């Protein structure tokens, strides 16, 4: 078969098995050889040879029963399913509480229940990371855990995004720039705060006006209250998520602060809520759907015996009315 197609055996195998990383020319050559030779693949033999079960897992830790309603997770799932739609792999979704359900997680990750796993939303010393490592399954992390560097990950340039947000506020002439950061046990939150601190330090501005919250609207609202108590003269705030930024907008309105005239606000994510906020939210856009697509693409490559690299996806600033450019 491979000789008739003029390709290597591994390339012929990938084409026959509908692997994603096969060039159109190779696929056409193998398809032609299949027709000419009347080749009929032995499905059972293929499965035994590959020791694959035809399923991958998307695992996320959570202590929030509404996790699936989170637009971020929803967009990740859309990206993953888009990448899998031309394969014959089933997607298993595994949501696990960080402190409960460990036996169920271990059962799901034990061969031969899955061919690989994508891991999301790790916080602190989450036991899910250890269970994934112990399973021996090919694994790709969506975002990096706070502790340790996984072999393969797809992440967003969170530090660069935080720096972009703060640099925008500096360019607008703001000088009392506060930050609503995410939780200390989140790698993304830590990196975004580092980026804001980088930009403010370069501009010789105080980087210590920081309050932390939990990526929720309520948390953002409370953090904004604390910041106003600390310094009523704040004229801008960089916020580590759009949800928290919407909460901050609510608090500013309750205190009679006009946005952007009195306080400019920049969020992070570019979720649908950013456009619907009042005023519409300037924010750092991260490619959430692409994060899911690339996680699945990298995992498929590993399952197919390839050696892909980790990826760091770029961010970009989306300017709206909460922190507009001067006219």
């Amino acid at each position: 078969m491979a000789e008739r197609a003029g390709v290597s055996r591994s390339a012929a195998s990938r084409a026959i098995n509908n692997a994603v990383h096969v060039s159109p020319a190779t696929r056409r050559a193998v398809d032609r050889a299949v027709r000419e030779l009347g080749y009929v693949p032995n499905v059972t033999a293929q499965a035994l040879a590959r020791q694959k079960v035809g399923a991958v897992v998307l695992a996320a830790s959570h202590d929030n029963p509404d996790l699936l309603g989170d637009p971020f997770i929803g967009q990740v799932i859309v990206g993953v399913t888009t990448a899998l739609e031309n394969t014959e792999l089933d997607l298993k979704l595994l949501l696990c509480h960080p402190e409960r359900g460990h036996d169920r997680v271990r059962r799901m990750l034990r061969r031969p229940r899955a061919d690989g796993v994508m891991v999301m939303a790790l916080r602190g010393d989450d036991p899910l990371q250890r269970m994934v490592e112990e399973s021996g399954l090919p694994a790709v992390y969506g975002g990096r855990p706070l502790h340790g560097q996984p072999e393969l990950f797809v992440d967003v340039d969170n530090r660069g995004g935080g720096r972009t947000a703060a640099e925008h506020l500096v360019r607008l002439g703001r000088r009392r720039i506060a930050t609503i950061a995410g939780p200390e046990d989140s790698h993304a939150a830590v990196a975004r705060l580092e980026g804001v601190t980088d930009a403010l330090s370069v501009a010789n501005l105080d980087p210590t006006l920081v309050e932390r919250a939990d990526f929720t609207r309520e948390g953002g609202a409370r953090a904004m209250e604390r910041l106003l108590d600390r310094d009523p003269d704040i004229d801008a705030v960089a916020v580590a998520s759009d949800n928290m930024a919407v909460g901050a907008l609510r608090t500013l309105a309750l205190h009679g602060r006009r946005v952007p005239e009195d306080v400019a606000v920049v969020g992070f994510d570019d979720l649908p809520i950013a456009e619907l906020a009042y005023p519409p939210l300037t924010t750092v856009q991260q490619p959430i759907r692409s994060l899911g697509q690339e996680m699945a693409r990298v995992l498929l490559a590993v399952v197919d015996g390839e050696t892909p690299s980790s990826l760091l996806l770029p961010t970009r600033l989306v300017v709206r009315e909460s922190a507009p450019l001067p006219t």
Side-chain angles (χ1 to χ4, degrees):
M1 167 67 64
E3 184 177 355
R4 175 64 70 93
V7 299
S8 68
R9 289 186 179 182
S10 61
S13 176
R14 289 197 301 272
I16 290 170
N17 290 304
N18 283 321
V20 291
H21 297 287
V22 179
S23 71
T26 296
R27 200 176 296 279
R28 285 194 298 270
V30 172
D31 287 345
R32 184 169 56 251
V34 166
R35 291 193 301 271
E36 291 172 354
L37 296 174
Y39 173 75
V40 179
N42 184 320
V43 176
T44 302
Q46 285 180 325
L48 289 172
R50 296 194 309 269
Q51 294 185 329
K52 295 179 183 177
V53 296
V56 293
V57 172
L58 175 62
S61 275
H62 77 101
D63 53 11
N64 177 7
D66 299 322
L67 180 69
L68 283 179
D70 186 310
F72 180 91
I73 293 295
Q75 287 296 303
V76 169
I77 293 173
V78 169
V80 170
T81 55
T82 299
L84 295 179
E85 64 186 7
N86 292 324
T87 74
E88 295 184 0
L89 290 171
D90 294 327
L91 176 64
K92 298 180 179 181
L93 186 60
L94 176 59
L95 305 180
C96 50
H97 192 282
E99 299 174 0
R100 300 192 298 272
H102 293 173
D103 290 341
R104 183 171 64 90
V105 174
R106 288 190 179 93
R107 286 196 303 272
M108 178 67 80
L109 297 180
R110 188 181 302 140
R111 292 181 185 272
R113 293 176 181 268
D115 297 316
V117 57
M118 295 163 280
V119 190
M120 287 293 302
L122 288 183
R123 300 270 290 272
D125 294 315
D126 195 314
L128 176 59
Q129 182 178 358
R130 184 179 64 256
M131 286 186 280
V132 168
E133 292 170 354
E134 291 173 350
S135 75
L137 287 171
V140 178
Y141 288 75
R144 283 164 284 183
L146 189 62
H147 304 295
Q149 180 87 324
E151 183 176 350
L152 284 173
F153 65 84
V154 179
D155 202 359
V156 171
D157 184 9
N158 288 295
R159 186 166 186 162
R163 186 166 52 246
T164 295
E167 287 173 344
H168 177 70
L169 294 170
V170 170
R171 281 196 299 271
L172 297 182
R174 309 294 170 138
R175 291 295 175 264
R176 298 296 295 165
I177 301 173
T179 307
I180 298 178
E184 290 181 303
D185 62 353
S186 162
H187 182 278
V190 170
R192 291 172 195 179
L193 178 58
E194 289 172 344
V196 172
T197 300
D198 291 344
L200 296 184
S201 298
V202 168
N204 293 316
L205 298 177
D206 181 7
T208 65
L209 284 170
V210 179
E211 290 289 340
R212 292 188 179 274
D214 57 359
F215 288 133
T216 67
R217 296 184 207 179
E218 294 75 16
R222 291 191 296 268
M224 193 71 245
E225 287 276 3
R226 296 193 297 270
L227 285 170
L228 291 174
D229 287 343
R230 287 176 57 182
D231 189 342
D233 295 326
I234 288 170
D235 62 5
V237 58
V239 191
S241 79
D242 289 346
N243 281 329
M244 293 195 299
V246 169
L249 290 175
R250 185 174 64 201
T251 295
L252 289 167
L254 289 173
H255 283 261
R257 306 300 175 87
R258 299 169 302 163
V259 177
E261 293 86 353
D262 301 324
V263 182
V265 179
V266 177
F268 203 113
D269 288 329
D270 199 26
L271 298 175
I273 196 174
E275 277 193 285
L276 300 174
Y278 182 78
L281 190 62
T282 293
T283 188
V284 176
Q285 181 188 80
Q286 59 170 323
I288 303 172
R289 189 174 298 189
S290 294
L291 178 69
Q293 287 178 311
E294 293 300 331
M295 284 172 59
R297 185 189 65 78
V298 171
L299 183 62
L300 289 170
V302 178
V303 171
D304 285 339
E306 301 179 22
T307 54
S309 300
S310 295
L311 295 174
L312 192 64
L313 303 179
T315 60
R316 71 181 185 93
L317 187 70
V318 178
V319 178
R320 299 191 181 97
E321 283 86 337
S322 73
L325 293 167
T327 56

